[in-house]
Amino acid sequence: MKEIYEPRFVEKLFDKMSSSYTKVNYITSFGFSKRWRRQCVEEIEIENGKVVVDLMTGMGECWKHILKKSDNNSKLIGLDFSSGMIDRAEKRKAKFGKSKIELLKENVFDNSIENEYADYVISGFGLKTFNDEQLLNLANEIDRILKRNGKFSLIDVSVPKIGILKPFYMFYLKNIIPILGKVFLGSPETYKMLGIYTQEFGNSKNVFEIFKRVNFEVEYVEYFFGCASGIKGVKK
């Protein structure tokens, strides 16, 4: 199981999924993924004229919520190590012609963002691909790039706590998602990994405990009966 958290494995996986990820992510979340991204961003009030870093930006699915209040002095940095995702984010960038968006094809643990450069950090649906050691490294990296009093909000799909939802949701992840993977990519194994990551991840409570060790005030957040969860906080 250790190899599924290797950066090269994750990078290749998302390169393969990039052509259909938006559709499948929408389907696998029963249409809630767009709402959860919006709620994740709205957990912290993003002001005009600030710098926002969107880690594991994917195809830029969070951008429209982040840039809702942007002006000419605002800046968005989208970071992802998947070439497939960055290529599609580059195309999405054209839709926000007046916004200042910089894309970085870089690993989150080895990036070129300057120390204490960001006012806000956002990340949607990237947490589950990290093990505990990597999550601590992620916390330290967010601490490095955030200004003092800077805020962050992170979210991922989770295994719901409610009895009637949990078995249904896990059946869906383990059995239906691979079928969708076969339909969209001809490869059920590729999308099967999303179910494996989600089952191993559980929810963001472990993320919350890890981030508490760093220089943050952190709060745990749940969405739709625990089908998604995340953390939000501020750098002390």
Side-chain angles (χ1 to χ4, degrees):
M1 192 64 73
K2 182 180 178 181
E3 70 276 2
I4 73 171
Y5 298 106
E6 291 293 334
R8 187 62 184 145
F9 180 91
V10 180
E11 181 183 354
K12 286 183 177 179
L13 181 68
F14 279 88
D15 279 345
K16 290 177 184 176
M17 292 193 296
S18 60
S19 62
S20 55
Y21 184 73
T22 298
K23 291 178 183 176
V24 176
N25 190 238
Y26 183 80
I27 295 169
T28 57
S29 66
F30 305 101
F32 279 95
S33 58
K34 291 182 179 180
R35 179 180 179 180
W36 290 337
R37 284 191 176 93
R38 174 180 57 78
Q39 289 176 313
C40 172
V41 174
E42 290 177 350
E43 291 289 350
I44 52 177
E45 294 185 13
I46 295 176
E47 300 175 359
N48 254 331
K50 303 293 185 180
V51 177
V52 183
V53 174
D54 183 23
L55 297 177
M56 292 79 77
T57 193
M59 289 173 271
E61 296 98 324
C62 287
W63 293 359
K64 69 177 182 179
H65 310 300
I66 294 171
L67 295 170
K68 193 162 55 175
K69 295 183 179 179
S70 68
D71 59 11
N72 293 333
N73 296 316
S74 301
K75 183 176 182 180
L76 170 61
I77 298 175
L79 183 148
D80 205 294
F81 65 178
S82 164
S83 298
M85 292 295 187
I86 284 290
D87 287 346
R88 284 165 176 78
E90 196 69 56
K91 294 175 182 176
R92 185 184 295 261
K93 183 178 171 181
K95 298 179 181 179
F96 301 93
K98 295 181 180 180
S99 299
K100 194 183 298 182
I101 302 174
E102 179 182 359
L103 282 173
L104 300 176
K105 187 195 174 301
E106 297 176 354
N107 190 309
V108 66
F109 304 124
D110 184 22
N111 68 77
S112 59
I113 300 172
E114 297 176 13
N115 293 348
E116 299 187 348
Y117 184 69
D119 297 285
Y120 307 100
V121 170
I122 296 290
S123 184
F125 304 111
L127 296 173
K128 62 182 173 293
T129 59
F130 297 129
N131 60 28
D132 285 0
E133 181 182 354
Q134 291 167 329
L135 285 170
L136 181 57
N137 291 338
L138 176 66
N140 288 328
E141 191 58 25
I142 292 175
D143 182 36
R144 182 187 72 79
I145 65 177
L146 263 183
K147 297 175 182 176
R148 189 175 181 183
N149 297 318
K151 298 177 181 179
F152 63 89
S153 182
L154 321 174
I155 191 173
D156 214 322
V157 292
S158 305
V159 179
K161 296 180 299 182
I162 294 179
I164 194 170
L165 276 176
K166 185 174 180 178
F168 172 76
Y169 192 59
M170 292 314 299
F171 175 84
Y172 189 76
L173 284 174
K174 291 180 179 179
N175 299 281
I176 306 301
I177 302 304
I179 293 173
L180 294 175
K182 185 172 179 59
V183 170
F184 285 106
L185 291 178
S187 170
E189 293 302 314
T190 302
Y191 274 102
K192 183 180 180 181
M193 288 306 304
L194 291 180
I196 292 172
Y197 279 122
T198 302
Q199 186 171 16
E200 290 296 314
F201 178 67
N203 57 44
S204 296
K205 287 184 177 178
N206 186 45
V207 183
F208 170 73
E209 293 298 330
I210 289 171
F211 271 64
K212 281 201 306 184
R213 302 180 207 166
V214 188
N215 193 31
F216 296 131
E217 291 179 3
V218 194
E219 183 179 337
Y220 176 73
V221 188
E222 280 191 347
Y223 306 87
F224 195 70
F225 306 108
C227 288
S229 64
I231 60 170
K232 62 178 179 179
V234 59
K235 179 177 175 178
K236 299 176 186 175

